Amino acid sequence: MSSSSGTATRRPSQMFRNLNAKIASIPMILTALCVFLGGTVWTIVYSFTNSKLLPRLKFVGLDQYERLWSAPRWLTSIENLFVYGILSLIFSLVIGFLLAAMLDQKIRFEGVFRTIFLYPFALSFVVTGLTWQWILNPDFGVQHLVRSAGWESFTFNPLYDQQIVIYGILIAALWQGTGLIMCLMLAGLRGIDEDIWKAARVDGIPMWKTYLFIVIPMMRPVFITTLVIIASGIVRLYDLVVAQTSGGPGGASEVPAKYVYDYMFLAQNLGQGFAASTMMLLSVAIIVVPWAYLEFGGRKRG
């Protein structure tokens, strides 16, 4: 009797749990395999060919990659992406966390401030780029206003200086994206148990130590997710550059995504564009694989 009862209440095997949801996800899985995975393999294969206007399977080995890494324009784009990426990562996290920490103090008009900080993220990158192109224009932007106020020697025209043009693009990117980072951090802070704050106050732990040694370690999943979001935005940097500088002055603000677009659609050199795309794919893999391991591998092991 007990044996039959145990059989009747036995859980279904893992394969048949949530069967309806698994069946419903089949089209999405097939789309991912055919479109995304298939497109990725297709891009990698044709990066070893000398395809020009149209794809053709005439393999040339690593010639496209050798040409890519010997091109000054590509090296400049990699250098710009590295500088932009490091600074964007640091400033986005620091500014976003500080704003979230201030809003977490239950200040008045919190909703208003949260809306103001998040509003730029609702704008397209093109609108943001054009707006900051006007703001940083020396003829009627910040430089013009300061000089009109009496400081005649003041100079601030990053978009027209080859040495610092990438920092002008960084300013626009931080203005647009920091609000989203703030919201993610604020959600993480609101998830911290109130008893932890009370215990820290009872023990006399300074506020900054509470954040640094207690709160931030507890927000590890939020930080990992935020890092991936920021890093993916760094690799995809294109719209802001086109809207603000179009890669100028003198090619000083080139980035990999623009290099790919220009070679594939303007220079009609698909092989070179595919090689650059494959390098970008590799950079994305370097970001996603550690994240997947930390999020899923470590959790499974725990």
Side-chain angles (χ1 to χ4, degrees):
M1 181 70 176
S2 61
S3 175
S4 61
S5 176
T7 303
T9 59
R10 185 180 301 166
R11 290 183 177 181
S13 65
Q14 188 69 28
M15 181 181 298
F16 295 102
R17 289 181 186 175
N18 301 321
L19 187 59
N20 291 336
K22 292 179 178 178
I23 293 174
S25 66
I26 289 176
M28 182 186 67
I29 294 173
L30 292 177
T31 300
L33 290 175
C34 296
V35 177
F36 296 108
L37 185 59
T40 299
V41 173
W42 190 83
T43 299
I44 295 174
V45 169
Y46 278 90
S47 70
F48 295 100
T49 69
N50 66 343
S51 301
K52 297 296 183 181
L53 177 60
L54 295 174
R56 57 177 180 175
L57 277 174
K58 185 177 180 181
F59 291 99
V60 292
L62 297 174
D63 286 0
Q64 295 289 4
Y65 292 94
E66 293 175 359
R67 191 176 300 117
L68 178 70
W69 287 102
S70 62
R73 182 180 173 187
W74 173 254
L75 297 178
T76 299
S77 69
I78 293 297
E79 180 182 351
N80 285 336
L81 193 67
F82 180 78
V83 173
Y84 171 88
I86 295 296
L87 295 179
S88 177
L89 202 62
I90 294 173
F91 283 110
S92 294
L93 285 175
V94 172
I95 297 174
F97 185 81
L98 290 177
L99 290 175
M102 287 190 290
L103 290 180
D104 194 44
Q105 305 305 311
K106 309 297 190 297
I107 63 174
R108 293 181 63 185
F109 307 112
E110 176 191 330
V112 175
F113 286 110
R114 192 166 59 235
T115 302
I116 292 173
F117 292 142
L118 188 60
Y119 174 75
F121 186 73
L123 302 176
S124 72
F125 284 106
V126 174
V127 172
T128 298
L130 292 175
T131 301
W132 278 94
Q133 184 190 58
W134 297 332
I135 293 174
L136 299 178
N137 189 300
D139 294 328
F140 46 82
V142 174
Q143 177 176 297
H144 174 73
L145 292 176
V146 175
R147 288 186 177 184
S148 300
W151 189 355
E152 295 291 339
S153 61
F154 178 79
T155 301
F156 186 68
N157 56 349
L159 298 184
Y160 298 85
D161 188 334
Q162 291 186 358
Q163 302 300 320
I164 60 174
V165 62
I166 195 65
Y167 303 109
I169 295 171
L170 176 66
I171 292 171
L174 290 175
W175 179 79
Q176 181 170 30
T178 304
L180 174 64
I181 307 304
M182 177 210 68
C183 286
L184 294 172
M185 294 295 177
L186 184 60
L189 288 172
R190 293 286 163 86
I192 302 295
D193 195 338
E194 189 65 30
D195 292 338
I196 293 176
W197 297 103
K198 293 179 181 178
R201 286 194 291 268
V202 170
D203 292 340
I205 302 175
M207 181 70 74
W208 68 272
K209 284 190 175 181
T210 304
Y211 276 108
L212 191 60
F213 298 108
I214 299 176
V215 174
I216 290 179
M218 294 181 66
M219 291 175 60
R220 175 178 168 271
V222 176
F223 273 93
I224 292 175
T225 301
T226 304
L227 284 172
V228 172
I229 292 174
I230 297 173
S232 64
I234 291 169
V235 175
R236 292 184 291 106
L237 176 64
Y238 174 79
D239 311 64
L240 278 177
V241 174
V242 173
Q244 286 187 274
T245 66
S246 295
S253 60
E254 289 287 343
V255 289
K258 187 175 182 299
Y259 184 95
V260 171
Y261 178 86
D262 287 350
Y263 268 88
M264 291 185 69
F265 299 104
L266 299 181
Q268 297 178 351
N269 190 338
L270 291 180
Q272 184 69 184
F274 288 147
S277 298
T278 303
M279 290 294 99
M280 292 183 64
L281 175 65
L282 181 62
S283 65
V284 172
I286 292 173
I287 296 168
V288 171
V289 171
W291 168 77
Y293 175 77
L294 290 173
E295 279 291 291
F296 304 107
R299 186 185 303 172
K300 186 179 293 186
R301 187 173 60 252

